[in-house]
Structures are given as C-alpha cells and as structure tokens.
Amino acid sequence: MPRVVIIGGGFGGLEAAKALRKAPVEVTLLDRRNFHLFQPLLYQVATGSLSPGEISAPLRATLRSQKNVRVLLGDAVSLDAERRVLILADGAIEYDVLIVATGAQNFYFGNKDWEHAAPGLKSIEDATAMRHKILFAFEAAERETDPARRDAWLTFVIVGGGPTGVELAGALAEIATDTLRHDFRSIDPQNARIILLEGSPHVLPSYPEDLSIAAEKSLIKLGVRPRAGIRVTRIDADGVTMDNGERIAAKTVLWAAGVRSSDFGQALKDHAGAALDRQGRVIVEPDLTLPGHPEIFVAGDLAHFEQDGHPVPGVAPVAMQQGRYAARVIRDRLRGTQTVPFRYFDKGSLAVIGRRSAVVEIGKLHVTGAIAWLMWLFIHLMYLVGFQNRVIVFLRWGIQYLTFDRGARLITGKIPAPEKVEVPMWGR
Amino acid sequence: MPRVVIIGGGFGGLEAAKALRKAPVEVTLLDRRNFHLFQPLLYQVATGSLSPGEISAPLRATLRSQKNVRVLLGDAVSLDAERRVLILADGAIEYDVLIVATGAQNFYFGNKDWEHAAPGLKSIEDATAMRHKILFAFEAAERETDPARRDAWLTFVIVGGGPTGVELAGALAEIATDTLRHDFRSIDPQNARIILLEGSPHVLPSYPEDLSIAAEKSLIKLGVRPRAGIRVTRIDADGVTMDNGERIAAKTVLWAAGVRSSDFGQALKDHAGAALDRQGRVIVEPDLTLPGHPEIFVAGDLAHFEQDGHPVPGVAPVAMQQGRYAARVIRDRLRGTQTVPFRYFDKGSLAVIGRRSAVVEIGKLHVTGAIAWLMWLFIHLMYLVGFQNRVIVFLRWGIQYLTFDRGARLITGKIPAPEKVEVPMWGR
C-alpha cells in the first residue's frame, strides 16, 4: 500500500490523517510533540484561564480507532526527494507521498534579540512562559518601593494588534480589573497600563474597518490603550521604543506581531527545489503540491497559496481545508480521477475581546457584542479536540464567567534571578 | 501590631495564616511560588490524569478576603535571629514571630547522581518531568526495533513502596493496560513491566500488615510486580542494581523512596541554634518552638516532633494541625493565656492503588476495596483547595472512570536528545 507520511499534527496534518481514514494507504503522522495543540485558545493558557492539558489532545488517542495510521514522535530535519526518504533527527523514513504541515513560528523581523524580551505565543512552553511573565510582573510590583520601577512593572505592552494581540490585551485588562482586583496589598492592579501597538491604522487590520473600530472601542472600554499606526524600533528588558521616538518603560512586553514559516520550508527549498516567499512560505501549485514533485504536498501556515490575487491567510480553517484537500487528491489519484484545484471557502473570521465582547465577520454580516461573543464561544468549543477537553473548558468558562476568577494562575518554571544584589531592609 | 512572618504556603503555612484570621497581628506569607500545591494528587499529574493548574490554588486568591495577610513571592535563605530579620534572596523582612513551614525535598541518601536518572515527586516541575519520562518511554519503545532495548523502554521501576510509590505503580499499570491499550501499532503497552521496590518486608510499611498485604494483592491484580525486602544499590540511565546483585534493565526509574527536610533547617541550625535530626528535621519543643527562641515556630515536614516515643509522620494532616497550633499559641500569648502542648490527632491514613481499590486505616477500622476507594476520593476532593479545582477534578475523575481515558497526557519541556547519532533506514 502507498505510504503517506504527514509531518505535523496541527490542524492541517490532523485533518489530512483523518480524511485518509478509508483510503487504501498506510499513514504515518510524525510530530515532535505527542499532542495536537488547539492554538486559538493558547492565549487563555498565557492569561491563566485554562491549563495546557485542557487545549491539547494526545495524537494517539485522537487517531486511536483509525487503524491505517501510526503516530510517531520525531523531528523531521531534511529529506532526500529523489529517493523519497524523510530524514529525522534520529532516523529516516521512506514515503510515497509526503504532506508537509509544519506550520509557523514566531518571527521578530530579523531582531533576534527581541525574542528574549518579548516572548511570542506558538507553543505550550511559550504560553506558560508568558503566564509566568505576566503574573510575576504583578508580584514584583507588589514588592517594589520605587514608584517609577513599580509603574514599569505595571505596564504591559503588546506588540501587534491582530486577533492574538487583541485577545491578549483584553484578557490582560480583565486580569488587572477583575481577577486580581483584591489580591494585593501595596498595589492596585487596576492601575496597570495595557498598551496595544499596531502598525496599521487600526487594530484587527484584516477585518472590515467597522469591526476594527468596534474592537478598538471595546478595548478602550476595558481599559486597554490601543495605539495604531505606530511601529516598534527597539525592545529590551526595560521597555519599547517606537518609530516616533517615544519610549515606554515596561517590564512586560508580549509579542503578537509576526510569524514566519517553520524551518522545514528551507529543507524543501534546498532538497526539492521549492520556491519560498518573503515569509519563508512554500509557493505551491493549484493542487498544493510542489512544482515538479506531485508527491509532496504543503498544507497550512507553511504553504503560500494565492487565491483571487492574494495569499490565503494563516488561520486554522485554511489549514484544515488544505489538509483535507491533500487527502482528497491522494484518494482521487488512487481511483484515477482528477481533482479540481484547491479553493479556500471562507466561512468567516472571529476574534474575542473580552467578556461579552467579540467581533464576527461572515461575508457581509458583521456582528459585535454579546452575540458575537456567544458565537465565538460556541465555535471554539465545537472545534476543540477531545470530549474531555470540551467538557472541562465549558465548565471553566462557566465558572469564570460567574466568579471573575481564573483557575490556572500558576507561576511555574524558573523564577528569574533578582535584579538587585544589595539587601535593602524593609519592614512595613 | 505584632508582625508574623510565615515561610511556606504548603499545608502548614496556609493553615497557620488562615488560623490567624481574627488575631490582631499582621501576617506575611512568603513562598517561592505563587500557589499552594495539593501534593497528595501530584502523582495524578505525573501520570496524566490531572493538569498542574487543577491541583494548585493561587495563594493570593485563597487568602484574598483575609485583610491582615499579605502574600509575598520570595526566597528565604537565612535569618538574623538576634535582630529578628528574615533574609531573602533579594531583600530582608523584619518579624516578631516567625513560622517556618518550608517542608521537605527529595532525598537520595547521599547518591546525588541518582537524581537525574530517577526523578522524585515534590513539585509541579517534578510531576511534568515524570510525566514526560513515562509517556516518552512508550513512544521510544514504539520506535525501537531492538527487542532488548524495547523491553528496557517498557520496564518501569519505582523505588519506594510508601503511599506515593504504590499510587504511582497503580496508575502506571492502568496507563499500560487501559489508557494506552489501543494507542500503539508496534508495541502492546500491556507488555510493560511495572516493578515496585520496597526495602521493608511489605509495601506501605507504615500501615498495619493486613492492609499492606491487601495492597500488595491489589497491585499484583493490576499487573504490578511488588518486590519487598530489597534495596537499590545503583541507579543509572539504563536501570537499577539491587542489593542481591540482580540488575533490572529499565529506561524509566522513578523515585518515591525518601525525602529530607528543606534547606532552611540548616539556616535555623546555623543562626538560631536549632538541633537537627538525621533527616535534617528541626527538633522542636512541645509547643513547636525552637529551644531558646519562643518566637520561632517550625511546622510540618521540617519539624521533628516526638509523640509517644516516635516522631509524628510527614503527612499533610500533621502539617495542618501544627500550622493551626502555632497560630493558636500566638493568639493565646496575645491574650496572656497558656497553651497546652501540641498533640497530633491521628484521624487515619489512606492510600489509593487504582480503580475501585484503596486501603484505609482509621484507628482499629481497616477498610479495603471499593469503599476505601470512595472514601479516598471524597476526602481528597474535600481537602483540595479552590472551588473551581474541586469541580474540575470531580468531573475529570468521573469522565476518566467511565472512559478509561486520561486527559492530560502531554509530553512538554525539552525532548531528550536522541541516543543514536547514526541514521538507520527504516521503511515498514
């Protein structure tokens, strides 16, 4: 039977594997991690609402009953396209068809040193590190006696006003005004400044302007200060500098501004002649294959696919549809039939801002407020993988809506070394 | 108002803080972490049943409404007992009364090199590292083609047959026989060998012999191989050697054999004249204070308190009662009344083995089987801190009981580097 190897257990890879359920092929799903991660809710881990396990589903359990799939834990580093061999960090695996769905990673526009000061949000480890940074800032502010330094600990800058940036800013505002409201003795968390920086004229630049403006109004109501049309020129441990020369002193800077495709794109360029765009995405044929390599598909964030003159966006629905499409082409080929070119069917976009506040675009229909928020909740619960996860997340959201609490506010991992080495004396 | 400083937000410290609710004192609760950890369920995080956030409660939220308490994130490293100043890694804090409840840490009987090969179970990071090790072993076995190496990946040795070791062994057996049953293609997880080593003649040596024997029978029924009366002389990355010369090849060795008291005991010895026992515990007066220092209390696992000729055990109920007792002495002193010496009231002990299987000792009453298991479930839910945690854990247990699934089976953190550097070819 033909051997199909899928790299990546994200939205694209998992959907491809599922869509091959009844095909006469042997599928190997390879991932560095043993779980599928529901990235749209990662910001809720970063802001203490959900635990990592609640938005992750073990790949083996998800594909348990699908007998033609095996799951392998491994790291794909290269390939020999002539001999059809995928090279892992610790082995190699032959394929007849390869589906590459390795996704995207944080990208700092060439400023590698920003990464340490402004963590991004792509993995579970990113999310727990960001949670650590956010919660630790309030703890440090509580202990800080110098007013300027205390203000810097209570200033949060989010770089990038796309959906992730907006969601992070909204959640941070709720942490400061509701969750932590009565938790401190020296500081008032409500004094926290949450600043959302966006280079375009409005936040949510990919949305229609009326929804962008509605989102800005909602953010301002929550206490966020959105600043659009502004770019960051420097990020360090003490704050950010902007292109108008202004400096914001902030101990917490979060990155939501850019991603680039994963490193496997480079391997496809070097060893299979793929062409990459400026973000490192692989330019694919109308059937999502590489030019000259009909046996190699690219799906999801790694793929550059043009439709109506624009590349399709790097969102979960695109990845899922592309994964399913690649599986369909494989099935059609085995049957000897032709497949029509891939076409992304845009069901709409939605971004949440906070409690009873979201924006939804479904074609000409623009929805804001509580109804949009309920739609967001429903769709995210529906697509979340794993029955147990759905029940737990539903329950957590219900409890948190009623109590204003957040159940997963842990500072884990290494506590940063104290900045001061002197031992100041402080009573009360 | 007198300043009471409590070091440690575990069972002892948290109970002391709560019991000072109405006392005319200013309480500072200091911890390196921002959360209280419910250690009795830590093994369920290590075995993928629960997420870290579900057994942790933010200290600030727990003590939010208690206006005479402030919570501080900090690391106590030493003290100046004369001037009544506690030295932190990055500061100092004055006290009138000090309650030290810093607990215990893993102890390898002087074999520091065992720590890397056989992780213990005291912190959230320990638990996620252990979970990583357990789940990764099955993944590695699935990919291993050499039968001997595959067997070593499928062999799990738990060192120490106390409650933690028994709970880990039982959960591991359920993972192998139920949870992962249909998840792999090359291996059968049911072939995993789970070996529980205990130095005493029976597992659960602190329990009455009939319960120990019942526990052994239950373990054997689950597929665990308990081996009592045997000691480990060497632990390395490839297995364990025992005092009878026998060697077990095992890639996964888990440590549940010993703890010693936390490092702050040494600070009390060096700077407040405390006497330590062989495990490093601080020998305390009948009122839990240090000899010559009535203003310094020691509560919980760090304290060596003799009752009826034996030191009281290092369990949560002792710590809670001692924390409350220290608070009571402080209140009595402010009122000018005497306090009777501390006495541990033993409500009983209970250890879970697996599904519908536990052992419970309440005085003369010995219970095993499903009733003991229900008692264990009920008591652990009751004592778990945080309403949201209780609801979520109850629900997870319910779902997992019905589905045999475990919802938090994530391999997070750094994936160990592959052992082989050559690139073997493997098709199917």
Side-chain angles (χ1 to χ4, degrees), chain B residues 345-383:
Chain B
F345 175 66
D346 185 357
K347 294 186 207 164
S349 325
L350 59 182
V352 73
I353 298 149
R355 179 176 279 261
R356 290 196 302 274
S357 177
V359 292
V360 173
E361 176 201 14
I362 304 175
K364 294 251 159 66
L365 181 69
H366 296 181
V367 191
T368 61
I371 292 174
W373 180 72
L374 285 173
M375 291 167 78
W376 182 93
L377 288 178
F378 176 75
I379 287 169
H380 281 75
L381 270 184
M382 203 174 70
Y383 278 101

Short mmCIF file of all heavy atoms in Angstrom, two decimals, chain B residues 345-383:
data_model
loop_
_atom_site.label_atom_id
_atom_site.label_comp_id
_atom_site.label_asym_id
_atom_site.label_seq_id
_atom_site.Cartn_x
_atom_site.Cartn_y
_atom_site.Cartn_z
N PHE B 345 -3.54 14.63 66.46
CA PHE B 345 -4.71 13.76 66.49
C PHE B 345 -4.78 13.02 65.16
O PHE B 345 -5.01 13.61 64.11
CB PHE B 345 -5.98 14.59 66.72
CG PHE B 345 -7.22 13.76 66.65
CD1 PHE B 345 -7.48 12.77 67.60
CD2 PHE B 345 -8.14 13.94 65.61
CE1 PHE B 345 -8.61 11.99 67.52
CE2 PHE B 345 -9.28 13.15 65.53
CZ PHE B 345 -9.52 12.18 66.49
N ASP B 346 -4.53 11.72 65.21
CA ASP B 346 -4.44 10.91 64.01
C ASP B 346 -5.84 10.47 63.57
O ASP B 346 -6.44 9.60 64.16
CB ASP B 346 -3.56 9.69 64.29
CG ASP B 346 -3.33 8.86 63.03
OD1 ASP B 346 -3.88 9.22 61.97
OD2 ASP B 346 -2.58 7.87 63.12
N LYS B 347 -6.34 11.11 62.50
CA LYS B 347 -7.67 10.75 62.01
C LYS B 347 -7.63 9.48 61.15
O LYS B 347 -8.68 8.96 60.79
CB LYS B 347 -8.25 11.88 61.17
CG LYS B 347 -8.54 13.15 61.95
CD LYS B 347 -9.26 14.15 61.05
CE LYS B 347 -8.99 15.57 61.49
NZ LYS B 347 -9.35 16.55 60.47
N GLY B 348 -6.43 9.03 60.80
CA GLY B 348 -6.33 7.84 59.97
C GLY B 348 -5.45 8.08 58.76
O GLY B 348 -4.99 9.19 58.52
N SER B 349 -5.19 7.00 58.03
CA SER B 349 -4.36 7.12 56.83
C SER B 349 -5.08 6.42 55.69
O SER B 349 -5.80 5.46 55.89
CB SER B 349 -3.01 6.42 57.02
OG SER B 349 -2.55 6.53 58.33
N LEU B 350 -4.83 6.90 54.48
CA LEU B 350 -5.42 6.22 53.35
C LEU B 350 -4.52 6.35 52.14
O LEU B 350 -3.84 7.35 51.96
CB LEU B 350 -6.85 6.67 53.07
CG LEU B 350 -7.21 8.11 52.76
CD1 LEU B 350 -8.72 8.19 52.58
CD2 LEU B 350 -6.81 9.06 53.84
N ALA B 351 -4.45 5.28 51.35
CA ALA B 351 -3.65 5.27 50.13
C ALA B 351 -4.47 4.61 49.05
O ALA B 351 -5.16 3.62 49.29
CB ALA B 351 -2.35 4.49 50.34
N VAL B 352 -4.39 5.17 47.84
CA VAL B 352 -5.17 4.62 46.73
C VAL B 352 -4.25 3.73 45.90
O VAL B 352 -3.04 3.97 45.82
CB VAL B 352 -5.78 5.75 45.89
CG1 VAL B 352 -4.74 6.45 45.06
CG2 VAL B 352 -6.91 5.23 45.01
N ILE B 353 -4.79 2.69 45.32
CA ILE B 353 -3.99 1.80 44.49
C ILE B 353 -4.42 1.92 43.04
O ILE B 353 -3.61 2.01 42.14
CB ILE B 353 -4.10 0.35 44.99
CG1 ILE B 353 -3.55 0.27 46.42
CG2 ILE B 353 -3.36 -0.61 44.08
CD1 ILE B 353 -4.19 -0.75 47.28
N GLY B 354 -5.72 1.95 42.82
CA GLY B 354 -6.22 2.09 41.45
C GLY B 354 -7.73 2.16 41.49
O GLY B 354 -8.33 2.40 42.54
N ARG B 355 -8.31 1.97 40.35
CA ARG B 355 -9.75 1.96 40.16
C ARG B 355 -10.45 1.06 41.18
O ARG B 355 -10.19 -0.14 41.25
CB ARG B 355 -9.95 1.44 38.74
CG ARG B 355 -11.31 1.28 38.21
CD ARG B 355 -11.20 0.85 36.76
NE ARG B 355 -10.96 2.04 35.94
CZ ARG B 355 -11.94 2.66 35.27
NH1 ARG B 355 -13.14 2.18 35.28
NH2 ARG B 355 -11.67 3.73 34.59
N ARG B 356 -11.30 1.62 41.97
CA ARG B 356 -12.06 0.89 43.00
C ARG B 356 -11.17 0.14 43.98
O ARG B 356 -11.54 -0.92 44.49
CB ARG B 356 -13.05 -0.09 42.35
CG ARG B 356 -14.21 0.59 41.65
CD ARG B 356 -15.34 -0.39 41.36
NE ARG B 356 -14.92 -1.51 40.56
CZ ARG B 356 -14.89 -1.52 39.24
NH1 ARG B 356 -15.27 -0.44 38.58
NH2 ARG B 356 -14.49 -2.57 38.57
N SER B 357 -9.98 0.67 44.23
CA SER B 357 -9.06 -0.05 45.11
C SER B 357 -8.25 0.93 45.93
O SER B 357 -7.54 1.78 45.39
CB SER B 357 -8.15 -0.94 44.26
OG SER B 357 -7.21 -1.58 45.08
N ALA B 358 -8.35 0.81 47.25
CA ALA B 358 -7.58 1.66 48.16
C ALA B 358 -7.50 0.95 49.50
O ALA B 358 -8.16 -0.09 49.70
CB ALA B 358 -8.24 3.02 48.32
N VAL B 359 -6.65 1.46 50.40
CA VAL B 359 -6.64 0.94 51.77
C VAL B 359 -6.82 2.12 52.71
O VAL B 359 -6.25 3.19 52.50
CB VAL B 359 -5.33 0.19 52.10
CG1 VAL B 359 -5.23 -1.10 51.29
CG2 VAL B 359 -4.10 1.05 51.88
N VAL B 360 -7.63 1.92 53.74
CA VAL B 360 -7.92 2.98 54.70
C VAL B 360 -7.75 2.41 56.10
O VAL B 360 -8.24 1.31 56.40
CB VAL B 360 -9.36 3.52 54.51
CG1 VAL B 360 -9.71 4.49 55.61
CG2 VAL B 360 -9.52 4.16 53.15
N GLU B 361 -7.05 3.17 56.96
CA GLU B 361 -6.92 2.79 58.36
C GLU B 361 -7.44 3.95 59.20
O GLU B 361 -6.93 5.06 59.12
CB GLU B 361 -5.44 2.54 58.70
CG GLU B 361 -5.22 2.24 60.17
CD GLU B 361 -3.78 2.50 60.62
OE1 GLU B 361 -3.04 3.16 59.86
OE2 GLU B 361 -3.42 2.05 61.71
N ILE B 362 -8.51 3.68 59.95
CA ILE B 362 -8.99 4.69 60.89
C ILE B 362 -9.04 4.01 62.25
O ILE B 362 -9.97 3.30 62.57
CB ILE B 362 -10.39 5.21 60.50
CG1 ILE B 362 -10.37 5.75 59.06
CG2 ILE B 362 -10.85 6.30 61.46
CD1 ILE B 362 -11.73 6.16 58.55
N GLY B 363 -7.98 4.22 63.02
CA GLY B 363 -7.87 3.53 64.31
C GLY B 363 -7.91 2.02 64.10
O GLY B 363 -7.11 1.47 63.34
N LYS B 364 -8.86 1.37 64.71
CA LYS B 364 -8.97 -0.08 64.60
C LYS B 364 -9.66 -0.51 63.31
O LYS B 364 -9.67 -1.69 62.96
CB LYS B 364 -9.77 -0.63 65.80
CG LYS B 364 -9.06 -0.46 67.14
CD LYS B 364 -8.56 -1.78 67.70
CE LYS B 364 -7.45 -1.60 68.71
NZ LYS B 364 -7.90 -0.92 69.95
N LEU B 365 -10.29 0.46 62.65
CA LEU B 365 -11.06 0.15 61.45
C LEU B 365 -10.15 0.06 60.23
O LEU B 365 -9.45 1.01 59.90
CB LEU B 365 -12.13 1.24 61.24
CG LEU B 365 -13.05 1.08 60.02
CD1 LEU B 365 -13.98 -0.10 60.23
CD2 LEU B 365 -13.84 2.35 59.80
N HIS B 366 -10.13 -1.10 59.58
CA HIS B 366 -9.33 -1.28 58.36
C HIS B 366 -10.28 -1.54 57.20
O HIS B 366 -11.08 -2.47 57.25
CB HIS B 366 -8.37 -2.47 58.52
CG HIS B 366 -7.36 -2.26 59.58
ND1 HIS B 366 -6.39 -3.18 59.89
CD2 HIS B 366 -7.13 -1.22 60.41
CE1 HIS B 366 -5.63 -2.73 60.87
NE2 HIS B 366 -6.06 -1.54 61.21
N VAL B 367 -10.20 -0.72 56.16
CA VAL B 367 -11.11 -0.86 55.02
C VAL B 367 -10.28 -1.03 53.76
O VAL B 367 -9.24 -0.39 53.59
CB VAL B 367 -12.02 0.38 54.88
CG1 VAL B 367 -13.13 0.12 53.87
CG2 VAL B 367 -12.60 0.79 56.22
N THR B 368 -10.72 -1.90 52.85
CA THR B 368 -10.06 -2.05 51.55
C THR B 368 -11.12 -2.02 50.45
O THR B 368 -12.32 -2.00 50.73
CB THR B 368 -9.28 -3.38 51.45
OG1 THR B 368 -10.23 -4.45 51.60
CG2 THR B 368 -8.23 -3.51 52.53
N GLY B 369 -10.66 -2.04 49.22
CA GLY B 369 -11.58 -2.19 48.09
C GLY B 369 -12.33 -0.92 47.72
O GLY B 369 -11.87 0.19 47.94
N ALA B 370 -13.53 -1.11 47.17
CA ALA B 370 -14.29 0.00 46.58
C ALA B 370 -14.71 1.03 47.62
O ALA B 370 -14.71 2.23 47.35
CB ALA B 370 -15.52 -0.55 45.85
N ILE B 371 -15.05 0.56 48.84
CA ILE B 371 -15.48 1.53 49.85
C ILE B 371 -14.32 2.41 50.26
O ILE B 371 -14.43 3.63 50.36
CB ILE B 371 -16.10 0.78 51.06
CG1 ILE B 371 -17.42 0.14 50.62
CG2 ILE B 371 -16.34 1.74 52.22
CD1 ILE B 371 -18.05 -0.73 51.67
N ALA B 372 -13.15 1.79 50.45
CA ALA B 372 -11.96 2.57 50.78
C ALA B 372 -11.65 3.57 49.68
O ALA B 372 -11.27 4.72 49.93
CB ALA B 372 -10.76 1.63 50.99
N TRP B 373 -11.86 3.12 48.44
CA TRP B 373 -11.57 3.99 47.30
C TRP B 373 -12.50 5.19 47.28
O TRP B 373 -12.07 6.33 47.06
CB TRP B 373 -11.73 3.16 46.02
CG TRP B 373 -11.48 3.86 44.74
CD1 TRP B 373 -10.27 4.28 44.26
CD2 TRP B 373 -12.45 4.22 43.76
NE1 TRP B 373 -10.44 4.87 43.04
CE2 TRP B 373 -11.76 4.85 42.70
CE3 TRP B 373 -13.83 4.06 43.66
CZ2 TRP B 373 -12.41 5.32 41.56
CZ3 TRP B 373 -14.47 4.53 42.53
CH2 TRP B 373 -13.76 5.16 41.50
N LEU B 374 -13.78 4.97 47.56
CA LEU B 374 -14.73 6.08 47.62
C LEU B 374 -14.38 7.05 48.75
O LEU B 374 -14.50 8.27 48.60
CB LEU B 374 -16.16 5.57 47.79
CG LEU B 374 -16.78 4.96 46.53
CD1 LEU B 374 -18.13 4.33 46.84
CD2 LEU B 374 -16.95 6.04 45.46
N MET B 375 -13.92 6.49 49.89
CA MET B 375 -13.50 7.37 50.99
C MET B 375 -12.32 8.22 50.55
O MET B 375 -12.25 9.42 50.83
CB MET B 375 -13.12 6.53 52.21
CG MET B 375 -14.31 5.83 52.85
SD MET B 375 -13.80 4.55 54.05
CE MET B 375 -13.36 5.54 55.46
N TRP B 376 -11.38 7.58 49.87
CA TRP B 376 -10.20 8.31 49.39
C TRP B 376 -10.61 9.45 48.45
O TRP B 376 -10.17 10.60 48.59
CB TRP B 376 -9.25 7.34 48.68
CG TRP B 376 -7.99 7.97 48.20
CD1 TRP B 376 -6.79 8.02 48.87
CD2 TRP B 376 -7.77 8.65 46.95
NE1 TRP B 376 -5.86 8.69 48.12
CE2 TRP B 376 -6.43 9.09 46.95
CE3 TRP B 376 -8.57 8.93 45.86
CZ2 TRP B 376 -5.87 9.79 45.89
CZ3 TRP B 376 -8.03 9.64 44.79
CH2 TRP B 376 -6.69 10.05 44.81
N LEU B 377 -11.47 9.14 47.50
CA LEU B 377 -11.94 10.15 46.55
C LEU B 377 -12.60 11.32 47.28
O LEU B 377 -12.29 12.48 47.03
CB LEU B 377 -12.98 9.55 45.58
CG LEU B 377 -12.52 8.57 44.52
CD1 LEU B 377 -13.72 8.08 43.73
CD2 LEU B 377 -11.52 9.22 43.58
N PHE B 378 -13.48 10.98 48.19
CA PHE B 378 -14.25 12.01 48.88
C PHE B 378 -13.34 12.93 49.69
O PHE B 378 -13.43 14.15 49.63
CB PHE B 378 -15.30 11.34 49.78
CG PHE B 378 -16.08 12.31 50.60
CD1 PHE B 378 -17.07 13.09 50.02
CD2 PHE B 378 -15.81 12.49 51.95
CE1 PHE B 378 -17.79 14.01 50.77
CE2 PHE B 378 -16.51 13.40 52.71
CZ PHE B 378 -17.51 14.17 52.12
N ILE B 379 -12.44 12.31 50.45
CA ILE B 379 -11.56 13.11 51.32
C ILE B 379 -10.63 13.99 50.50
O ILE B 379 -10.39 15.15 50.84
CB ILE B 379 -10.79 12.18 52.29
CG1 ILE B 379 -11.77 11.66 53.34
CG2 ILE B 379 -9.61 12.90 52.92
CD1 ILE B 379 -11.25 10.55 54.19
N HIS B 380 -10.10 13.46 49.40
CA HIS B 380 -9.19 14.28 48.60
C HIS B 380 -9.91 15.43 47.92
O HIS B 380 -9.38 16.52 47.81
CB HIS B 380 -8.43 13.40 47.61
CG HIS B 380 -7.29 12.67 48.26
ND1 HIS B 380 -7.48 11.58 49.07
CD2 HIS B 380 -5.96 12.93 48.27
CE1 HIS B 380 -6.30 11.18 49.53
NE2 HIS B 380 -5.37 11.98 49.06
N LEU B 381 -11.14 15.18 47.47
CA LEU B 381 -11.91 16.28 46.88
C LEU B 381 -12.22 17.34 47.93
O LEU B 381 -12.15 18.53 47.67
CB LEU B 381 -13.23 15.76 46.31
CG LEU B 381 -13.22 15.31 44.86
CD1 LEU B 381 -14.63 14.93 44.45
CD2 LEU B 381 -12.70 16.41 43.94
N MET B 382 -12.53 16.86 49.15
CA MET B 382 -12.91 17.78 50.21
C MET B 382 -11.77 18.70 50.61
O MET B 382 -11.97 19.89 50.84
CB MET B 382 -13.36 16.94 51.41
CG MET B 382 -14.27 17.64 52.36
SD MET B 382 -14.83 16.46 53.63
CE MET B 382 -13.33 16.18 54.56
N TYR B 383 -10.58 18.14 50.66
CA TYR B 383 -9.44 18.94 51.12
C TYR B 383 -8.76 19.73 50.01
O TYR B 383 -7.97 20.62 50.28
CB TYR B 383 -8.39 18.05 51.83
CG TYR B 383 -8.74 17.77 53.26
CD1 TYR B 383 -9.31 16.57 53.66
CD2 TYR B 383 -8.52 18.74 54.24
CE1 TYR B 383 -9.66 16.32 54.97
CE2 TYR B 383 -8.86 18.51 55.56
CZ TYR B 383 -9.42 17.29 55.92
OH TYR B 383 -9.75 17.07 57.23
#
